[in-house]
Amino acid sequence: MALHCGVFSFRSVASHPLCSVKFSQPTVQASTFASPLTPPTAKLNVRGKAVPGDGTPETKESPLVVCFGEMLIDFVPTVSGLSLAEAPAFKKAPGGAPANVAVGISRLGGSSAFIGKVGEDEFGYMLADILKENNVNHEGMRFDPGARTALAFVTLRSDGEREFMFYRNPSADMLLQEDELDLDLIRKAKIFHYGSISLITEPCKSAHIAAAKAAKDAGVVLSYDPNLRLPLWPSEDSAREGILSIWETADIIKVSEEEISFLTKGEDPYDDAVVRKLFHENLKLLLVTEGAEGCRYYTKEFSGRVKGLKVDAVDTTGAGDAFVAGMLSQLSVNLSLIQKEEELRDSLKFANVCGALTVTERGAIPALPTKEAVLDAMLKPVS
């Protein structure tokens, strides 16, 4: 599920009684399942293993960003400002923060892969097809015959902000096992990106920790967007503890203002001293997103703010993920940006526009912009 880089609210619960009626099946042993999908015909520009549809080797390799975690179906109402019960209809849209980032990077011309688990069902196959259509390497995707693909119903307020109701009881993404990981794919990455939802339950928690360790041991840069979804955690304390349990292993962290307040138990997210408390010894870059206002950045040497692009928000789903995709697409090519403030600011302007363009359409993945669209928006005069 996407995380907007601004205000969001949570209503609904992961334990909604309907979760166990029509949207899940009795849990059985999760297993790896080979997708019946035909081999991708589009070129997968993946570092070290990129081959176009005709099977010939790819000559130009792009730095690979591997995204780990959940992929699901967002049901977005066709009319904003109504409750879920009042909404006349919903638009089906692929989502899940790590998957959004993977597609976002590919759409911006970068190279990405997704590792995660979906149900062996129509929605799961649909999501795999969407990754393929967007040139995202999905060799690390697994299918579970005993659990459904996760669903999330999204309420859109009149200002485009969201509330969520999740159907996971459990869903397939929660059942990824350590022995199902494509470790070779992880080790080939330049950047390994993940959230915190995959830390909530076993066996996915152990798979997450093992994947991150394999990446770290291989010298891969670790990127972390906590993507707080409080209704999915047993309690606020468990969420805070879980999110912070892997904090000090990340090289790059992106958080929202609300997440800073949550993690610091109510301290002021606009106070640099408060933000610096979250800057650990090995961290290279800490990014704080502020929605339409832009973002702040913190490194060991410098810090600052980059203004955002003002647009009319229709649906904020995916804005934070688009921002992350924009930033990682730049860093994967040139990690030295972190040491060069002016170049970093330029990259953050690019990332801000990625996020802004995404809120002008409904859904996350359908709204993610191309590189051309972002550059075009950056060239237009600001009114």
Coordinates of all heavy atoms in Angstrom, one line a residue, residues 69-117:
G69 N 8.7 -7.0 -0.5 CA 7.6 -6.8 0.3 C 6.2 -7.1 -0.3 O 6.1 -8.1 -1.0
E70 N 5.2 -6.3 -0.1 CA 3.8 -6.7 -0.4 C 3.4 -6.1 -1.8 O 3.9 -5.0 -2.2 CB 2.9 -6.2 0.7 CG 2.7 -4.7 0.8 CD 3.8 -4.0 1.6 OE1 4.7 -4.7 2.1 OE2 3.7 -2.8 1.7
M71 N 2.6 -6.8 -2.5 CA 1.9 -6.3 -3.7 C 0.5 -6.8 -3.5 O 0.2 -7.9 -3.2 CB 2.5 -6.9 -4.9 CG 2.0 -6.2 -6.2 SD 2.8 -6.7 -7.7 CE 2.1 -5.5 -8.9
L72 N -0.5 -5.8 -3.8 CA -1.9 -6.1 -3.5 C -2.8 -5.4 -4.5 O -2.3 -4.7 -5.4 CB -2.2 -5.8 -2.0 CG -1.7 -4.4 -1.5 CD1 -2.7 -3.3 -1.9 CD2 -1.5 -4.5 0.0
I73 N -4.1 -5.5 -4.2 CA -5.1 -4.8 -5.0 C -5.7 -3.7 -4.2 O -6.2 -4.0 -3.1 CB -6.2 -5.7 -5.5 CG1 -5.6 -6.9 -6.3 CG2 -7.2 -5.0 -6.4 CD1 -5.0 -6.6 -7.6
D74 N -5.6 -2.5 -4.7 CA -6.3 -1.4 -4.0 C -7.6 -1.2 -4.7 O -7.7 -1.2 -6.0 CB -5.5 0.0 -4.2 CG -4.2 0.0 -3.4 OD1 -4.2 -0.7 -2.3 OD2 -3.3 0.8 -3.8
F75 N -8.7 -1.1 -4.0 CA -10.0 -0.7 -4.5 C -10.3 0.7 -4.2 O -10.5 1.1 -3.0 CB -11.1 -1.6 -4.0 CG -11.0 -3.0 -4.6 CD1 -10.3 -4.0 -4.1 CD2 -11.7 -3.3 -5.8 CE1 -10.2 -5.3 -4.7 CE2 -11.7 -4.5 -6.4 CZ -10.9 -5.5 -5.8
V76 N -10.2 1.6 -5.2 CA -10.3 3.0 -5.0 C -11.7 3.5 -5.4 O -12.1 3.2 -6.5 CB -9.2 3.8 -5.8 CG1 -9.2 5.3 -5.5 CG2 -7.8 3.2 -5.5
P77 N -12.4 4.3 -4.5 CA -13.7 4.7 -4.9 C -13.7 5.6 -6.1 O -12.8 6.4 -6.3 CB -14.2 5.4 -3.6 CG -13.0 5.8 -2.9 CD -12.0 4.8 -3.2
T78 N -14.8 5.5 -6.9 CA -14.9 6.4 -8.1 C -15.3 7.8 -7.7 O -15.2 8.7 -8.5 CB -15.9 5.8 -9.1 OG1 -17.1 5.6 -8.4 CG2 -15.4 4.5 -9.6
V79 N -15.9 8.0 -6.5 CA -16.3 9.3 -6.0 C -15.6 9.6 -4.7 O -15.6 8.8 -3.8 CB -17.8 9.3 -5.8 CG1 -18.3 10.7 -5.3 CG2 -18.6 9.0 -7.1
S80 N -15.0 10.7 -4.6 CA -14.3 11.1 -3.4 C -15.2 11.7 -2.4 O -16.3 12.1 -2.7 CB -13.2 12.2 -3.7 OG -12.2 11.7 -4.6
G81 N -14.8 11.7 -1.1 CA -15.6 12.3 -0.1 C -16.7 11.5 0.5 O -17.5 12.0 1.3
L82 N -16.8 10.2 0.2 CA -17.8 9.3 0.7 C -17.2 8.2 1.5 O -16.0 7.8 1.3 CB -18.6 8.7 -0.4 CG -19.4 9.7 -1.4 CD1 -20.1 8.9 -2.5 CD2 -20.4 10.5 -0.6
S83 N -17.9 7.7 2.4 CA -17.4 6.5 3.2 C -17.4 5.3 2.3 O -18.0 5.3 1.2 CB -18.4 6.2 4.4 OG -19.6 5.8 3.9
L84 N -16.8 4.2 2.7 CA -16.8 3.0 1.9 C -18.2 2.5 1.6 O -18.5 2.0 0.5 CB -16.0 1.9 2.6 CG -14.5 2.1 2.7 CD1 -13.8 1.0 3.5 CD2 -13.8 2.1 1.4
A85 N -19.0 2.6 2.6 CA -20.4 2.1 2.5 C -21.2 2.9 1.5 O -22.1 2.4 0.8 CB -21.1 2.0 3.8
E86 N -20.9 4.2 1.4 CA -21.6 5.1 0.5 C -21.0 5.2 -0.9 O -21.7 5.6 -1.8 CB -21.5 6.6 1.1 CG -22.3 6.7 2.4 CD -21.9 8.1 3.1 OE1 -20.8 8.6 2.8 OE2 -22.8 8.6 3.8
A87 N -19.8 4.7 -1.1 CA -19.2 4.8 -2.4 C -20.0 3.9 -3.4 O -20.3 2.8 -3.2 CB -17.8 4.2 -2.4
P88 N -20.3 4.5 -4.6 CA -21.2 3.8 -5.6 C -20.4 2.7 -6.3 O -21.0 1.7 -6.8 CB -21.6 4.9 -6.6 CG -20.5 5.9 -6.5 CD -20.1 5.9 -5.0
A89 N -19.1 2.9 -6.4 CA -18.3 1.9 -7.2 C -16.8 2.1 -6.8 O -16.4 3.1 -6.3 CB -18.5 2.0 -8.7
F90 N -16.0 1.1 -7.2 CA -14.6 1.1 -6.9 C -13.8 0.8 -8.1 O -14.2 -0.1 -8.9 CB -14.2 0.2 -5.8 CG -14.8 0.5 -4.4 CD1 -16.0 0.0 -4.1 CD2 -14.0 1.2 -3.5 CE1 -16.6 0.3 -2.9 CE2 -14.6 1.5 -2.3 CZ -15.9 1.1 -2.0
K91 N -12.7 1.5 -8.3 CA -11.8 1.2 -9.4 C -10.7 0.2 -8.9 O -10.0 0.5 -7.9 CB -11.1 2.5 -9.9 CG -10.1 2.2 -11.0 CD -9.4 3.5 -11.4 CE -8.3 3.3 -12.4 NZ -7.6 4.6 -12.8
K92 N -10.5 -0.9 -9.5 CA -9.5 -1.8 -9.1 C -8.1 -1.3 -9.6 O -7.9 -1.0 -10.8 CB -9.8 -3.2 -9.8 CG -8.8 -4.3 -9.5 CD -9.3 -5.6 -10.1 CE -8.9 -5.8 -11.5 NZ -10.0 -5.5 -12.5
A93 N -7.1 -1.2 -8.7 CA -5.8 -0.7 -9.0 C -4.7 -1.5 -8.3 O -4.8 -1.8 -7.1 CB -5.7 0.8 -8.6
P94 N -3.7 -1.9 -9.0 CA -2.6 -2.6 -8.4 C -1.8 -1.7 -7.4 O -1.7 -0.5 -7.7 CB -1.7 -3.0 -9.5 CG -2.0 -2.0 -10.6 CD -3.5 -1.7 -10.4
G95 N -1.4 -2.2 -6.3 CA -0.7 -1.4 -5.3 C 0.2 -2.2 -4.4 O 0.6 -3.4 -4.8
G96 N 0.6 -1.6 -3.3 CA 1.6 -2.2 -2.4 C 2.9 -1.4 -2.6 O 3.5 -1.3 -3.7
A97 N 3.3 -0.8 -1.5 CA 4.4 0.2 -1.6 C 5.7 -0.3 -2.3 O 6.2 0.3 -3.2 CB 4.8 0.7 -0.2
P98 N 6.2 -1.5 -1.9 CA 7.5 -1.9 -2.6 C 7.2 -2.2 -4.1 O 8.1 -1.8 -4.9 CB 7.8 -3.2 -1.9 CG 7.2 -3.1 -0.6 CD 5.9 -2.4 -0.8
A99 N 6.1 -2.7 -4.5 CA 5.8 -2.9 -5.9 C 5.6 -1.6 -6.6 O 6.0 -1.4 -7.8 CB 4.5 -3.8 -6.0
N100 N 4.9 -0.6 -5.9 CA 4.8 0.7 -6.5 C 6.2 1.3 -6.9 O 6.4 1.9 -7.9 CB 4.1 1.6 -5.6 CG 2.6 1.3 -5.3 OD1 2.0 0.5 -6.1 ND2 2.1 1.8 -4.3
V101 N 7.1 1.2 -5.9 CA 8.4 1.7 -6.1 C 9.1 1.0 -7.3 O 9.8 1.7 -8.2 CB 9.3 1.6 -4.9 CG1 10.7 2.0 -5.1 CG2 8.7 2.4 -3.8
A102 N 9.0 -0.3 -7.4 CA 9.6 -1.1 -8.5 C 9.1 -0.6 -9.8 O 9.9 -0.4 -10.8 CB 9.4 -2.6 -8.3
V103 N 7.8 -0.5 -10.0 CA 7.2 0.0 -11.2 C 7.6 1.4 -11.5 O 7.9 1.8 -12.6 CB 5.6 -0.2 -11.2 CG1 5.0 0.5 -12.4 CG2 5.3 -1.6 -11.1
G104 N 7.6 2.3 -10.4 CA 8.0 3.7 -10.6 C 9.3 3.8 -11.2 O 9.6 4.6 -12.0
I105 N 10.3 3.0 -10.7 CA 11.7 3.1 -11.2 C 11.7 2.7 -12.6 O 12.4 3.3 -13.4 CB 12.6 2.2 -10.3 CG1 12.8 2.8 -8.9 CG2 13.9 2.0 -11.0 CD1 13.4 1.9 -7.9
S106 N 11.0 1.6 -13.0 CA 11.1 1.1 -14.3 C 10.4 2.2 -15.3 O 10.9 2.4 -16.4 CB 10.3 -0.2 -14.4 OG 10.3 -0.7 -15.8
R107 N 9.3 2.8 -14.8 CA 8.7 3.8 -15.7 C 9.5 5.0 -15.9 O 9.4 5.7 -16.9 CB 7.3 4.2 -15.0 CG 6.3 4.6 -16.1 CD 4.9 4.6 -15.5 NE 4.3 3.3 -15.5 CZ 3.1 3.0 -14.9 NH1 2.4 4.0 -14.4 NH2 2.6 1.8 -14.9
L108 N 10.4 5.3 -15.0 CA 11.4 6.4 -15.1 C 12.6 6.0 -15.9 O 13.5 6.8 -16.0 CB 11.8 6.9 -13.7 CG 10.7 7.5 -12.9 CD1 11.1 7.7 -11.4 CD2 10.3 8.9 -13.5
G109 N 12.6 4.8 -16.4 CA 13.7 4.4 -17.3 C 14.8 3.6 -16.5 O 15.8 3.2 -17.1
G110 N 14.6 3.3 -15.3 CA 15.6 2.5 -14.5 C 15.3 1.0 -14.6 O 14.4 0.6 -15.3
S111 N 16.1 0.3 -13.8 CA 16.0 -1.2 -13.8 C 15.6 -1.6 -12.4 O 16.2 -1.2 -11.4 CB 17.4 -1.8 -14.2 OG 17.3 -3.2 -14.1
S112 N 14.5 -2.4 -12.3 CA 14.0 -2.8 -11.0 C 13.5 -4.3 -11.0 O 13.3 -4.8 -12.1 CB 12.9 -1.9 -10.6 OG 11.8 -2.0 -11.5
A113 N 13.4 -4.8 -9.8 CA 12.9 -6.2 -9.6 C 12.0 -6.1 -8.4 O 12.2 -5.3 -7.5 CB 14.0 -7.2 -9.5
F114 N 11.1 -7.1 -8.3 CA 10.2 -7.2 -7.2 C 10.3 -8.6 -6.6 O 10.3 -9.6 -7.3 CB 8.8 -6.9 -7.5 CG 7.8 -7.2 -6.4 CD1 7.7 -6.3 -5.3 CD2 7.0 -8.3 -6.4 CE1 6.8 -6.5 -4.3 CE2 6.1 -8.6 -5.4 CZ 6.0 -7.7 -4.3
I115 N 10.4 -8.7 -5.3 CA 10.4 -9.9 -4.6 C 9.3 -9.9 -3.6 O 9.2 -9.0 -2.7 CB 11.8 -10.2 -3.9 CG1 12.9 -10.4 -4.9 CG2 11.7 -11.4 -2.9 CD1 14.2 -10.7 -4.3
G116 N 8.4 -10.9 -3.6 CA 7.2 -10.9 -2.7 C 6.3 -12.1 -3.1 O 6.6 -12.9 -4.0
K117 N 5.2 -12.2 -2.4 CA 4.3 -13.3 -2.6 C 2.9 -12.8 -2.8 O 2.4 -11.9 -2.1 CB 4.4 -14.3 -1.4 CG 3.9 -15.7 -1.7 CD 4.2 -16.6 -0.5 CE 4.2 -18.1 -1.0 NZ 4.5 -18.9 0.2

